[in-house]
């Protein structure tokens, strides 16, 4: 599976008047494409801080002390705010916990929902176009260079040409097909409501159906005589709507609706033509499309495309990719040399700012030249090298004056403090620490960044990462297809509104059309939460972070929204980080689970691992603190409260509340013990020398019950 | 423990806010020593029911009896009766009934109006006599918003005692300390302010404030939904201990069905201001009858990944389920102790289901 997001050694603290609160202490995890990672823990365990770090919206008093969050070849901890604009909300969206403070009070709900869709639609069109054009140009140059044949450039241009024909055909088809699906749905609903005498907002609904029905006319959806009929029916429905609504008698409308339904329903079964091949055929063959059933047509077109263009084009692309990879391998070897030569400057005991900047410049240039831009899977380490090293060096040099200032303040306060103590008083405040930035840590970060790059490159040079160029060619063509379709996909105001209303209905807001024009204060808490969810989903993100999205909602709506998120995940291959403390919800959503406590991940595994064979005492405690429908025995509450993270415990943070704690738990932090390939936990109980401890009875009972049921469904 | 004595009885309770019928004709009884759970989605009127019982609102219509004595009453039903009587007379007059008969109807109408007025007067007298009922105490949902930030914990807990005329400082202190210790806090906490406590501890203070009055009934309005799982268990265990120690009766309002099931003896399910089903906890979960209850139960998240992946949620669309155009529904007892809101046809259907 493709890695979408990779968090490594993240450390985040908050500066507070009472001292530095260590909220996240060295956590690492990966998020793969199309999976849901649930992060479970109590409030204050650092779950939300982690998610906010990913989105770059940490509070002002936060200090990111180390680590990296790599997404799409960027280190999210190091990029600038401008670069973040392109990611936040569009690529990574978040459903916030608090619906009160995440909506704009003076904007109508509708505007808030469509705002992002419209803006991002435009931006995406542009960025897709750029990506398509620049990559194709690069590929063309490479192809020409490899085989020394300028004619190949033209081949690329041809590809560009018919790709756009393909998109044009396909987007027209998609609009029509989507309209058809919707019309059938809507008509069913309307007929039901008319029958039950509970038809709301009839005029708008009927006109909307008329509009949608007219939109289904397309060469491959509703064709020929049917098309004319639909057009006539649609016009009739629209004309008739007002009269029917006035009379409150819908017999005429029902007749028309039924007729429309009859025509459109069979259309939904039709197979989709292969527009990619068709695009080529129509652009270059100069012939008319042969008349045959869609499945045969698809085969014919595909053969035609492969014969006349694709096979040849692919062979050239493979060559180009191979050559580009080879060339960049040499550049990588070069880069390693440059970095090795320059690293001494950055690691000397008395670093000089100017020399350092110069060294970094040379290094970055060499590394950037060595990045193979034709490789679609971005190499995170290389791409983030520049920002990481620059940020690390900046931290170091900015730290020096900061430390001097802090030391001054510290001396002054210490004197005052000592005076008070001498007088026999106990001051209620604490002295600020003498250092603001730990320079040793900053230096270590620089070394680590260089080491990581070198290690990675040496591995690549040693052939550690064999590439399959044929597969990569297919991926590249897919990349072109996607970007081409992105660049012609325009979001109009009307579409945005339609989608917004649909989304509102999907998240369970009744009477969405009236609600669309209301302000946030007119909504209840649960309703606002749903709006927030709809806004996050409207942007069609790549990664969705859900921070306790359903905690404030009741079970039916919660189930509805979780189903919606799961459906979107499947449809759009979304990756989700799901933060919650409700284990029932986790069981529903998660593919993998990370249990967090006091800023650390204490246990991680697939959801089966964590629910059926939990290993960490904290996971046990969480599981046994929650009643399920069959629990009869007394709940086992976790005694006490989480530790104060200004003074994090020396040993295992959970030791104080843990009845299985051993002496070593108070003295040393446990390392991560691997239980299986997917499952690991940080507790000394897993050490070979530790005494054998059974899982608490209440959980054993529950697991036995679950196994007995064998996951039977509730029907 | 459940000796069947009725402690609290709610009859035809209606609470309207303008046109919004938050609670509409709800009737139930709470027996001594039991835990009565009330569930439903947000906005269905569970909290309003609880607040009406402790007289935070003047109820619109219906009666609430505590230990057989009427503590709250609404006037709408009497007003409607008067209106209906007047209307009947007008109707008769318009239809041109002969004079002798009309006089008869007039006398009858006057009697009806007089009777309704008298009953209304009695109801208002009862309603005003009991301004508050100290035997019924409430624990509020939000432990942060329900504690005055400018009062010490001791003052917060003692407030009820002071209002009820307790003047001896020593007695007050003693009672406050006792209450604090009962909920698992220590005496020293009395001098601190609410913001110095964690969420779970704050909810404990809320509990202490309720138990210091030595109540018979505690209405716990979502006492754990704002808390973390681990703290939730602490508070639930605390309520359970207190209930046994003090012989409390608890009305437990929540939307987390697992918690309600775990804690309650009997459960009432509310939907849009109506009580749609009422039964023993086990009975309700094993044999739900009303389609809304079924839909609610099918949505409960269970900490079992395999089960969750196969879960089938049942949706509830009132229009599809019921036809109330002619045959009007009411709350009926289908099997002993199991009430369902249904009409004649549905009643027969449910009976048939039970017989199977």
């Amino acid at each position: 599976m493709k890695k979408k997001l990779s968090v490594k050694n993240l450390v985040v603290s908050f500066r507070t008047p009472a001292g530095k609160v260590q909220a996240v202490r060295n956590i690492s995890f990966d998020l793969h494409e199309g999976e849901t990672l649930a992060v479970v823990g109590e409030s204050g365990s650092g779950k939300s801080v982690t998610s906010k770090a990913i989105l770059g919206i940490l509070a002002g008093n936060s200090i990111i002390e180390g680590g990296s969050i790599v997404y799409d070849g960027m280190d999210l901890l190091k990029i600038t705010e401008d670069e973040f604009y392109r990611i936040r909300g569009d690529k990574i969206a978040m459903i916030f916990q608090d619906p009160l403070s995440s909506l704009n009070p003076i904007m109508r709900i509708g505007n808030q929902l469509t705002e992002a869709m419209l803006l991002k639609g435009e931006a995406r069109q542009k960025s897709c176009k750029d990506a398509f054009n620049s990559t194709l140009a690069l590929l063309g140059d490479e192809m020409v260079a490899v085989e020394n044949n300028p004619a190949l450039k033209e081949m690329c241009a041809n590809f560009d040409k018919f790709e756009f024909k393909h998109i044009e055909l396909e987007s027209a088809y998609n609009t029509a097909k989507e309209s058809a699906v919707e019309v059938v749905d809507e008509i069913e609903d309307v007929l039901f409501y008319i029958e039950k005498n509970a038809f709301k907002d009839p005029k708008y609904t009927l006109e909307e159906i008329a509009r949608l029905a007219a939109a289904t006319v397309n060469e491959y959806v509703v064709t020929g005589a049917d098309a004319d009929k639909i057009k006539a029916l649609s016009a009739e429905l629209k004309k008739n709507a007002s009269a029917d609504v006035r009379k409150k008698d819908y017999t005429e409308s029902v007749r028309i609706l039924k007729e429309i339904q009859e025509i459109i329903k069979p259309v939904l079964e039709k197979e989709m033509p292969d527009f990619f091949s068709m695009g080529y055929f129509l652009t270059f063959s100069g012939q008319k499309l042969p008349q045959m059933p869609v499945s045969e047509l698809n085969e014919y077109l595909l053969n035609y495309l492969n014969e006349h263009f694709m096979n040849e084009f692919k062979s050239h692309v493979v060559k180009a990719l191979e050559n580009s990879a080879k060339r960049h391998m040499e550049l990588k070897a070069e880069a390693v040399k440059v970095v090795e030569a320059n690293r001494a400057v950055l690691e000397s005991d008395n670093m000089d700012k100017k020399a350092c900047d110069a060294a970094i410049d040379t290094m970055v240039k060499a590394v950037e030249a060595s990045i193979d831009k034709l490789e679609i899977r971005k190499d995170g380490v290389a791409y983030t090298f520049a920002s990481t090293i620059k940020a690390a060096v900046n931290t170091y040099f900015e730290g020096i004056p900061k430390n001097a200032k802090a030391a001054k303040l510290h001396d002054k306060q210490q004197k005052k403090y000592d005076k008070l103590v001498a007088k026999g008083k106990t001051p209620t405040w604490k002295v600020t620490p003498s250092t603001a930035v730990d320079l040793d840590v900053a230096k270590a970060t620089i070394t680590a960044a260089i080491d990581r790059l070198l290690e990675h490159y040496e591995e690549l040079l040693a052939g550690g990462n064999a590439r399959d160029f044929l597969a990569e060619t297919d991926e590249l063509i897919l990349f072109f297809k996607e970007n081409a379709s992105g660049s012609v996909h325009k979001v109009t105001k009307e579409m945005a509104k339609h989608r917004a209303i649909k989304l509102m209905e999907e998240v369970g807001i009744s009477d969405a059309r009236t609600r669309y024009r209301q302000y946030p204060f007119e909504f209840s808490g649960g309703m606002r939460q749903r709006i927030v969810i709809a806004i996050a989903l409207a942007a069609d993100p790549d990664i969705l972070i859900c921070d306790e999205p359903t905690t404030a909602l009741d079970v039916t709506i919660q189930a509805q929204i979780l189903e919606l998120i799961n459906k979107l995940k499947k449809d759009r291959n979304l990756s989700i980080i799901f933060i919650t403390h409700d284990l029932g919800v986790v069981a529903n959503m998660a593919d993998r689970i990370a249990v967090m406590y006091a800023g650390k991940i204490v246990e991680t595994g697939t959801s089966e691992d964590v629910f059926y064979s939990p290993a960490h005492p904290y996971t046990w405690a969480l599981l046994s603190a929650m009643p399920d429908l069959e629990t009869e025995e007394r709940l086992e509450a976790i005694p006490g409260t989480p530790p104060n993270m200004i003074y994090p415990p020396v040993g295992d943070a959970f030791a104080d509340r843990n009845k299985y704690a051993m002496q070593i738990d108070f003295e040393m932090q446990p390392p991560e013990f691997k239980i299986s390939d997917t499952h690991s936990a940080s507790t000394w109980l897993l050490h070979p020398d530790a005494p054998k401890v059974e899982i608490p009875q209440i959980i054993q009972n529950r697991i036995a019950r679950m196994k007995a049921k064998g996951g039977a469904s509730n029907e | 423990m459940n000796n069947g004595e009725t402690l609290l009885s709610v009859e035809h309770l209606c609470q309207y806010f303008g046109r919004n019928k938050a609670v509409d004709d709800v009737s139930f009884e709470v027996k001594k020593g039991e835990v009565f759970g009330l569930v439903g989605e947000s906005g269905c009127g569970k909290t309003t029911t609880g607040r009406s019982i402790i007289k935070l609102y003047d109820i619109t219509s219906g009666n609430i009896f505590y230990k057989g004595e009427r503590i709250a009453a609404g006037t709408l039903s009497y007003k409607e009766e008067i209106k209906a009587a007047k209307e009947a007379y007008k109707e008769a007059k318009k239809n041109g009934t002969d004079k002798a008969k009309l006089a008869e109807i007039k006398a009858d109408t006057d009697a009806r109006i007089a009777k309704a007025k008298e009953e209304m007067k009695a109801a208002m007298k009862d309603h005003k006599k009991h301004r508050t009922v100290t035997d019924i105490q409430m624990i509020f949902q939000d432990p942060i918003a329900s504690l005055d930030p400018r009062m010490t914990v001791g003052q917060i807990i003692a407030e009820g005692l002071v209002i009820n005329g307790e003047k001896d400082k020593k007695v007050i202190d003693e009672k406050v300390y006792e209450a604090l210790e009962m909920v698992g806090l220590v005496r020293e906490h009395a001098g601190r302010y609410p913001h110095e406590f964690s969420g779970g501890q704050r909810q404990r203070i809320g509990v202490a404030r309720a138990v210091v009055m030595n109540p018979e009934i505690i209405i716990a309005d979502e006492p754990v939904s704002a808390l973390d799982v681990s703290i939730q268990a602490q508070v639930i265990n605390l309520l359970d201990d207190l209930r046994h120690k003090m012989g409390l009766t608890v009305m437990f309002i929540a939307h987390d069905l697992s918690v309600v099931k775990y804690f309650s003896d009997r459960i009432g399910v509310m939907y849009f201001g109506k009580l749609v089903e009422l039964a023993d906890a086990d009975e309700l979960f094993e044999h739900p009858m009303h389609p809304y209850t079924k839909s609610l139960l099918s949505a409960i998240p269970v900490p079992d990944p395999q089960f969750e992946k196969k879960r089938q949620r049942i949706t509830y669309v009132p229009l599809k389920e019921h036809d109330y155009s002619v045959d009007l529904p009411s709350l009926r007892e289908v099997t002993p102790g199991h009430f369902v809101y249904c009409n004649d046809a549905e009643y027969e259907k449910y009976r048939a289901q039970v017989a199977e």
Side-chain angles (χ1 to χ4, degrees):
Chain A
M1 245 193 298
K2 213 163 129 191
K3 241 190 241 175
K4 269 269 142 145
L5 187 84
S6 156
V7 176
K8 271 227 166 67
N9 307 89
L10 181 68
V11 184
V12 182
S13 305
F14 289 96
R15 197 175 290 134
T16 67
K20 202 161 78 174
V21 179
Q22 303 183 17
V24 172
R25 302 188 293 160
N26 201 349
I27 64 167
S28 305
F29 62 84
D30 289 331
L31 180 70
H32 299 281
E33 190 171 351
E35 83 163 352
T36 306
L37 173 75
V39 183
V40 189
E42 280 173 85
S43 44
S45 62
K47 318 179 292 258
S48 294
V49 175
T50 312
S51 64
K52 284 183 179 162
I54 294 172
L55 213 53
I57 47 167
L58 283 168
N61 62 341
S62 65
I63 318 162
I64 294 164
E65 302 206 56
S68 65
I69 301 174
V70 177
Y71 168 76
D72 193 24
M74 279 175 283
D75 186 345
L76 300 184
L77 293 175
K78 313 284 163 35
I79 60 176
T80 61
E81 187 59 27
D82 279 349
E83 286 170 301
F84 233 129
Y85 274 151
R86 268 177 243 148
I87 296 172
R88 207 181 284 138
D90 188 18
K91 295 284 178 1
I92 306 180
M94 184 157 175
I95 299 173
F96 290 93
Q97 192 172 5
D98 183 2
L100 268 174
S101 54
S102 44
L103 287 173
N104 186 346
I106 53 165
M107 244 171 111
R108 288 182 203 278
I109 291 296
N111 286 352
Q112 298 196 41
L113 268 163
T114 51
E115 186 188 26
M117 279 190 238
L118 293 171
L119 289 175
K120 295 288 181 187
E122 243 169 70
R124 191 172 307 161
Q125 244 179 315
K126 195 168 172 296
S127 77
C128 282
K129 206 172 186 174
D130 288 349
F132 184 91
N133 287 341
S134 65
T135 317
L136 193 61
L138 214 61
L139 181 70
D141 289 345
E142 193 70 41
M143 275 159 73
V144 171
V146 176
E147 301 178 35
N148 208 1
N149 180 2
L152 289 176
K153 191 102 191 165
E154 202 187 326
M155 199 161 193
C156 277
N158 284 344
F159 178 72
D160 187 3
K161 226 182 197 170
F162 88 79
E163 179 57 56
F164 270 83
K165 181 77 186 169
H166 153 220
I167 294 307
E168 197 184 299
L169 289 168
E170 190 166 325
S171 59
Y173 171 84
N174 280 343
T175 322
K177 181 83 187 230
E178 273 164 30
S179 307
V181 173
E182 255 171 55
V183 154
V184 171
D185 264 10
E186 290 261 320
I187 289 180
E188 244 161 50
D189 281 358
V190 165
L191 290 179
F192 170 72
Y193 283 124
I194 289 178
E195 194 195 329
K196 291 283 176 183
N197 232 340
F199 193 18
K200 266 189 205 158
D201 209 355
K203 188 159 183 286
Y204 171 80
T205 317
L206 289 176
E207 281 176 1
E208 185 70 14
I209 290 177
R211 188 183 72 78
L212 282 171
T216 58
V217 176
N218 174 282
E219 211 175 324
Y220 302 97
V221 187
V222 176
T223 46
D226 280 351
D228 296 336
K229 240 194 221 163
I230 284 283
K231 272 184 198 157
L233 284 171
S234 153
E236 198 185 343
L237 183 68
K238 200 169 173 184
K239 218 172 77 191
N240 195 38
S242 315
D244 264 14
V245 172
R246 224 177 299 124
K247 279 188 296 185
K248 292 230 162 94
D249 170 23
Y250 300 106
T251 20
E252 190 62 11
S253 298
V254 168
R255 182 188 61 78
I256 303 170
L257 288 175
K258 281 195 173 146
E259 269 181 55
I260 295 179
Q261 200 180 17
E262 233 163 74
I263 297 172
I264 295 184
K265 230 178 186 171
V267 166
L268 298 181
E269 313 287 315
K270 272 192 194 171
E271 204 183 341
M272 178 173 159
D274 178 359
F275 289 110
F276 185 60
S277 318
M278 192 189 285
Y280 181 75
F281 187 87
L282 289 178
T283 321
F284 294 106
S285 72
Q287 302 165 18
K288 270 199 171 171
L289 273 179
Q291 289 295 326
M292 50 173 94
V294 174
S295 53
E296 282 173 40
L297 181 70
N298 280 352
E299 214 170 298
Y300 173 80
L301 290 174
L302 189 65
N303 282 337
Y304 185 89
L305 170 74
N306 284 341
E307 230 169 81
H308 289 81
F309 180 80
M310 219 21 146
N311 290 340
E312 196 191 341
F313 183 66
K314 267 188 191 169
S315 70
H316 290 303
V317 173
V318 170
K319 268 185 216 154
L321 284 180
E322 257 176 69
N323 184 58
S324 163
K326 212 170 101 200
R327 196 155 52 84
H328 283 96
M329 233 12 133
E330 280 157 22
L331 285 168
K332 280 191 175 103
E334 189 69 24
V336 169
K337 270 183 217 151
V338 172
V339 172
E340 291 277 15
N342 281 295
R343 70 181 295 175
V345 183
L346 296 174
E347 286 167 343
S348 67
D349 286 336
N350 41 357
M351 285 156 67
D352 174 52
K353 180 111 182 32
K354 258 192 187 152
C356 280
D357 284 347
I360 287 174
D361 264 355
T362 18
M363 276 174 162
V364 165
K365 254 186 210 145
V367 172
E368 258 164 22
S370 74
I371 293 172
D372 184 357
K373 293 229 164 64
L374 280 178
E375 197 178 348
I376 297 301
R377 288 190 193 179
K378 286 183 178 167
D379 177 357
V381 180
Y383 271 91
T384 54
F385 177 72
S387 54
T388 312
I389 193 116
K390 273 182 191 158
V393 171
N394 273 345
T395 316
Y396 180 83
F397 284 110
E398 279 166 13
I400 295 170
K402 269 188 197 161
N403 275 355
K405 225 173 168 181
K408 232 182 192 171
L409 197 67
H410 172 77
D411 287 349
K412 210 168 144 192
Q413 288 187 349
Q414 187 66 44
K415 261 183 209 157
K416 206 168 155 193
Y417 191 91
D418 290 344
K419 243 187 216 165
L420 276 173
V421 173
K423 275 184 192 164
K425 288 179 188 163
T426 29
T428 49
W429 44 273
K430 290 202 177 62
V431 180
T432 43
S434 59
T435 46
V437 179
D438 194 336
L439 294 182
D440 291 335
V441 172
K443 271 192 126 173
T445 321
I446 300 174
T447 316
I450 296 175
D451 280 345
R452 205 163 130 220
L453 179 88
L454 288 178
E455 219 172 88
H456 179 67
Y457 267 19
E458 267 150 24
E459 198 185 316
L460 287 182
L461 288 170
N465 197 359
R467 285 169 62 178
D468 177 1
F469 291 107
L470 265 173
E472 264 182 52
T473 306
D474 288 339
E475 256 174 55
L476 189 66
I477 288 170
L478 198 69
F479 171 82
F480 281 130
K481 272 192 198 175
E482 273 169 11
N483 276 305
S485 75
S487 62
V488 291
H489 184 79
K490 194 170 182 317
V491 183
T492 61
K493 239 181 179 170
E494 195 175 307
M495 266 163 74
K497 182 177 175 183
H498 185 77
R499 246 177 84 195
I501 289 178
K502 255 260 91 98
L503 260 172
M504 284 168 78
E505 278 165 3
E506 267 186 273
V507 295
I509 295 169
S510 54
D511 216 359
R513 278 224 340 121
T514 340
R515 294 295 208 162
Y516 184 83
R517 292 187 53 75
Q518 287 181 335
Y519 288 95
F521 72 84
E522 296 173 76
F523 287 70
S524 75
M527 286 293 176
R528 271 181 230 172
Q529 182 69 62
R530 293 176 212 190
I531 295 290
V532 172
I533 292 171
I535 290 178
L537 296 178
D540 204 350
D542 210 15
I543 295 176
L544 185 66
I545 302 172
C546 310
D547 189 357
E548 310 249 8
T550 57
T551 311
L553 305 178
D554 34 73
V555 272
T556 31
I557 298 303
Q558 168 171 298
Q560 214 169 304
I561 284 176
L562 295 183
E563 267 170 34
L564 177 69
I565 295 176
N566 268 338
K567 184 177 149 260
L568 289 170
K569 173 186 151 194
K570 223 192 238 156
D571 292 353
R572 302 177 184 173
N573 211 8
L574 212 64
S575 309
I576 299 175
I577 298 180
F578 200 92
I579 297 173
T580 181
H581 65 244
D582 187 340
L583 288 161
V585 172
V586 172
N588 181 307
M589 301 295 290
D591 300 312
R592 283 193 307 131
I593 298 175
V595 182
M596 271 188 92
Y597 186 75
K600 282 191 167 248
I601 292 180
V602 294
E603 180 164 359
T604 160
T606 64
S607 72
E608 274 81 8
D609 287 338
V610 175
F611 278 103
Y612 296 141
S613 50
H616 196 281
Y618 180 63
T619 318
W620 297 345
L622 276 184
L623 284 168
S624 49
M626 192 187 78
D628 68 9
L629 293 177
E630 273 123 56
T631 313
E632 301 285 345
E633 52 276 77
R634 191 180 161 80
L635 298 176
E636 285 190 30
I638 311 176
T641 45
N644 182 349
M645 294 313 287
I646 296 178
Y647 311 104
V650 199
D652 184 1
F654 188 56
D656 272 345
R657 307 170 73 188
N658 182 2
K659 59 179 174 188
Y660 306 102
M662 297 177 286
Q663 190 55 39
I664 190 163
D665 277 313
F666 293 96
E667 287 162 6
M668 228 174 116
Q669 289 196 11
E672 195 176 321
F673 291 99
K674 242 186 158 54
I675 302 165
S676 69
D677 282 347
T678 51
H679 192 188
S680 59
S682 309
T683 166
W684 285 115
L685 288 178
L686 291 171
H687 193 272
D689 296 342
K692 188 116 181 65
V693 175
E694 288 284 316
I695 300 176
Q697 198 58 40
I698 187 168
I699 303 175
Q700 280 190 19
N701 291 348
R702 183 180 295 165
I703 293 171
R705 269 202 308 266
M706 293 193 291
K707 290 229 165 113
K709 262 195 270 172
S713 93
N714 60 344
E715 270 192 318
Chain B
M1 177 180 41
N2 193 347
N3 57 10
E5 185 197 333
T6 302
L7 200 58
L8 183 79
S9 143
V10 175
E11 281 178 6
H12 305 290
L13 171 68
C14 298
Q15 180 71 61
Y16 300 167
F17 300 112
R19 269 150 114 215
N20 178 6
K21 298 185 176 180
V23 178
D24 193 13
D25 198 11
V26 165
S27 309
F28 59 87
E29 285 176 351
V30 180
K31 303 205 171 74
K32 190 170 167 59
E34 76 168 348
V35 177
F36 180 79
L38 206 52
V39 297
E41 59 188 89
S42 54
C44 75
K46 352 182 254 298
T47 302
T48 310
T49 308
R51 289 186 174 175
S52 298
I53 292 172
I54 60 162
K55 305 191 68 174
L56 277 180
Y57 303 128
D58 286 332
I59 61 176
T60 312
S61 175
N63 300 309
I64 298 170
F65 295 93
Y66 170 68
K67 283 188 174 168
E69 202 174 326
R70 177 153 61 177
I71 54 167
T75 53
L76 188 72
S77 57
Y78 306 115
K79 283 180 185 158
E80 272 174 357
E81 166 72 11
I82 293 170
K83 209 170 164 190
K86 279 182 182 163
E87 220 128 272
Y89 175 66
K90 257 189 209 159
E91 191 73 10
K93 207 171 166 187
K94 216 162 86 188
N95 289 348
T97 328
D98 61 79
K99 267 194 182 158
K101 193 117 191 246
L102 204 62
E104 205 177 285
I105 293 173
K106 170 84 178 155
D108 187 39
T109 308
D110 284 347
R112 257 173 89 185
I113 292 175
K115 189 171 161 247
K117 275 191 173 160
E118 199 162 301
E119 275 174 9
M120 186 156 83
K121 220 173 170 183
M124 283 333 284
K125 201 177 155 197
D126 281 348
H127 184 77
K128 280 179 183 145
K129 192 164 95 191
H130 301 272
R131 258 190 66 226
T132 50
V133 186
T134 48
D135 274 356
I136 307 176
Q137 288 293 328
M138 191 149 176
I139 301 167
F140 293 92
Q141 179 173 7
D142 187 346
I144 298 162
S146 62
L147 301 177
D148 189 332
R150 288 179 297 185
M151 282 163 85
T152 65
V153 169
Q155 285 168 337
I156 290 172
I157 297 174
E159 201 177 14
L161 293 170
V162 176
I163 290 170
N164 274 287
E166 184 59 64
K167 291 208 176 66
D168 190 342
K169 250 199 136 215
K170 256 191 191 154
V171 177
I172 292 177
D173 281 349
E174 235 7 85
K175 281 196 170 165
V176 168
Y177 294 151
E178 201 187 323
L180 277 173
E181 274 158 18
M182 210 180 268
V183 298
L185 299 171
V186 292
R187 281 164 176 251
E188 287 70 39
H189 287 149
R192 298 204 200 156
Y193 287 90
H195 75 262
E196 296 172 58
F197 293 87
S198 68
Q201 284 175 319
R202 277 182 222 183
Q203 197 55 288
R204 281 163 192 268
I205 297 169
V207 177
R209 170 169 63 181
V211 297
V212 78
M213 301 306 294
N214 204 6
E216 287 273 342
I217 302 180
I218 282 192
I219 298 175
D221 182 13
E222 311 244 12
V224 294
S225 50
L227 305 175
D228 265 323
V229 218
S230 60
I231 314 291
Q232 262 184 27
Q234 290 176 11
V235 174
I236 292 171
N237 282 343
L238 169 70
L239 284 174
D240 207 32
D241 292 343
L242 285 178
R243 173 164 94 90
H244 289 136
K245 224 188 286 174
M246 303 175 63
L248 284 173
T249 305
V250 182
M251 199 172 134
F252 192 80
I253 301 170
H255 66 243
D256 185 340
L257 284 143
S258 318
V259 174
V260 175
K261 163 88 191 321
Y262 173 74
F263 199 48
S264 310
D265 300 318
R266 279 197 310 143
I267 297 175
V269 181
M270 286 187 77
Y271 181 73
F272 272 90
K274 300 251 196 245
L275 193 66
V276 294
E277 191 157 0
L278 174 66
D280 281 351
D282 294 330
E283 165 74 12
L284 186 83
F285 276 76
E286 270 159 38
H287 308 290
M289 287 185 196
H290 196 275
Y292 176 67
T293 317
K294 284 183 184 165
S295 129
L296 201 62
L297 297 189
S298 75
I300 305 173
V302 178
D304 179 352
Q306 282 180 13
F307 176 85
E308 280 293 330
K309 268 164 202 153
K310 290 187 198 162
R311 184 146 65 99
Q312 288 288 319
R313 192 163 59 81
I314 305 168
T315 46
Y316 175 57
V317 185
L319 276 174
K320 266 189 196 155
E321 301 286 350
H322 316 287
D323 184 8
Y324 291 155
S325 47
V326 199
D327 193 0
L328 288 175
S330 62
L331 196 67
R332 300 166 202 225
E333 191 165 13
V334 178
T335 57
H338 193 152
F339 297 83
V340 185
Y341 186 73
C342 57
N343 61 17
D344 288 338
E346 284 171 329
Y347 179 71
E348 290 308 321
K349 199 178 87 194
Y350 295 144
R351 287 299 295 251
Q353 274 173 13
V354 173
E356 268 172 26

